[in-house]
Amino acid sequence: MTLFKQIALMLSLFLLVILITVLTLNFKSANQSVQEQLYEDAKNTASSLSLSLGSANGDISMMSTMINANFDSGHYHYISLIDVENTVLYERSAENVQTDVPEWFLNAIHIEAPVASANVSAGWNNVGILHVQSDSSHAYTELYTIFKELLISFSILALIGLTILNLLLAAILKPLKKVQLQAEAVIRNEFIIQEKIPYTKEFKDVVLGMNTMVSKVKAMFDKGNEELKKQKELEYIDRATKLKNRKYLIDKLPQYLKIDADSKGGINIMIALSGVIEANEAIGHRRVDTLFMEIAKIFIEQTKHYDNSIISRMNGTEFSILLPDCSDTDALKLAQAIYDSVSKTILACGLNITLTFISLGLYEYNYRQSIGQLLSLSDNALAQAKFKDTHIHLDKAESAVEVMGKEAWRKIIYEALDANNFTFTLWTAVDGKSKKIAHNVLSITLQAKDGTSYSYGQFMASANQAGLSSSIYKNILEMMFKTPDNRLKNSICSLRLSYEYLSRGETYTELSLLFKNFAAKLPFKLIIELPDKLVRQNSEQIKLYKALFEKYTIEMGVFEFIGESEDYQYLQDLRPVYIKGESSYFLTQSEQSLSALRLISDSIGISLIATGVMDMQTYQKLADINIHVIQGKATEMIALT
């Protein structure tokens, strides 16, 4: 219960007790007044009637007429005249009159009408005693009318009082509401500074304290953001040419060499400039540095039409141009254009083209290869290019033997989509420090018509080539929400969604409808993982996804993080629960970069998770840099508690 409700309830009860007490006292006073009025009426009637009866000189018929006249003109229960011998000379009484007073009121309130008496004398002779008792039914009616009026008036007063009390409390506690909103924002790792400082001293101190704390946390994030941007330039950017460096290429390659990569292959061009020592002696270091900068501009200009290309300087004299989805024919044309442009630039510097020349080794890779294979085979192509007269050489990767053809895979996938034959295989992300499961990782499995089970790595490449990956994600999401696996009840599960699926215009609408109808019935806590490539754009689309997830208490994670953004403010804006990066990425970062990343993640409550951890030696290295949550084969070697 909120403080406002507690104070409002306490003061409301206090006000109601006071009003009920005053109502009770007023009603008791009215009750007593009515009873006193009954006696006064009876007494006055007895006094005046006794004088009138005395003038009748003992004439019973005249006295009875007088008694009847008084009885009929007033509200009396009875009037009796008794002589000195206690004999009733005349008596007039009335039956109990039915009133509109409810039975519960009659039972709750007792009114006793007192009897008034007066002596009746004719001269010196005592005729008798006159007894008069007023009718209490009329008193009940009058008292019930008073009770209703009191109840109505006090109800109105209570309503007005409670309304005023509510408004006053709302005004007084308004600063506290803002403090509450600020505290909730802190829990959500949002940085909100309350500009309007309340006048109440206690609230003022709390607001100033919260503002100071939030300012410090925000300063931590900003410092980490600036430091990480600076370290990114130092670690990923070649200072001389402003191109990417070897480390960036190696950290980036896992996105291209995987089963569900956007590209199924392409060309990697290794480029080397020979005769640099002779060039330094001929034209000087500065002009050689300028030459490298001009060569870098040629690379950028020649490859500007290739999406997702990576131009990097591997070392002092070698460069790499990765061209996803580029054919060997186009690559050879590009290589020749680069060779011609660079040769002209070398000649323009006054250098001898036979001593200082450029060589281009082209290697056609595919997504199944490892980083080591791609780089070593690219280096081999470059070595052969240096000994050719054209200084250009193309090598191709050996074609992998397909177990099934594309059409066979397409048929299997279509059948699985029609029959909803996709299931989940569970992997785990483990916290090695606490020896507990951080969350379950849901990996898609295809059950073929013949009963054969295919893992994600076996069928997704073919699904991508057939353009069916988005249909698969739609299928498994509907399956997850409409028929959830109760074995996962009360657990935490993560599901990775691809860049292509999330980029579809209709995906947001499909997810909105799915969440609206089924999210409340999901028996486990869900984390949806989005690629950093998409998240770091911080677009309106991503903000819509974030708002949609929050609406249905679904959390968001980020995968394939390599820290290549120009600004890391998007992490604070979107506040994912964790960041997943390859173990090689974390292990090759400098101490300064990791410190800056840790400053950012700690300030906004983001966990760091290393993926692809295959052995305990790698895990131990990660633990040494304070990264304990891992994903990979090494999780099987950690004894869980």
Side-chain angles (χ1 to χ4, degrees), residues 549-587:
F549 296 161
E550 287 182 342
K551 182 178 180 181
Y552 296 100
T553 63
I554 295 172
E555 294 185 324
M556 185 177 77
V558 174
F559 68 92
E560 292 183 344
F561 180 84
I562 63 168
E564 62 175 310
S565 177
E566 295 296 329
D567 192 344
Y568 300 92
Q569 181 63 39
Y570 75 94
L571 292 175
Q572 200 281 319
D573 294 338
L574 302 176
R575 301 180 305 282
V577 291
Y578 57 69
I579 290 172
K580 285 185 177 180
E582 288 287 331
S583 58
S584 58
Y585 162 72
F586 291 115
L587 293 175

Side-chain angles (χ1 to χ4, degrees), residues 256-257 261-267 323-326 364-367:
Y256 296 87
L257 305 179
D262 301 343
S263 166
K264 300 302 110 186
I267 299 291
L323 301 171
D325 295 321
C326 180
E364 186 181 39
Y365 71 91
N366 62 60
Y367 67 93

Side-chain angles (χ1 to χ4, degrees), residues 247-263:
K247 178 171 173 34
Y248 177 83
L249 177 64
I250 292 175
D251 286 343
K252 191 72 174 176
L253 279 176
Q255 295 184 25
Y256 296 87
L257 305 179
K258 61 176 184 175
I259 293 299
D260 57 349
D262 301 343
S263 166

Side-chain angles (χ1 to χ4, degrees), residues 475-489:
N475 182 286
I476 60 103
L477 281 166
E478 289 181 351
M479 176 197 70
M480 175 195 293
F481 281 92
K482 293 180 180 180
T483 56
D485 190 343
N486 286 323
R487 292 177 302 171
L488 302 174
K489 189 175 182 180

Side-chain angles (χ1 to χ4, degrees), residues 388-426:
K388 295 184 71 170
D389 294 337
T390 59
H391 296 296
I392 298 174
H393 178 76
L394 171 67
D395 273 346
K396 294 186 177 183
E398 294 182 3
S399 299
V401 178
E402 293 282 355
V403 177
M404 288 186 294
K406 292 181 180 179
E407 289 304 317
W409 271 117
R410 187 190 296 269
K411 180 181 178 182
I412 290 173
I413 293 169
Y414 269 122
E415 288 176 348
L417 286 170
D418 290 339
N420 293 325
N421 281 344
F422 289 97
T423 58
F424 288 121
T425 299
L426 293 184

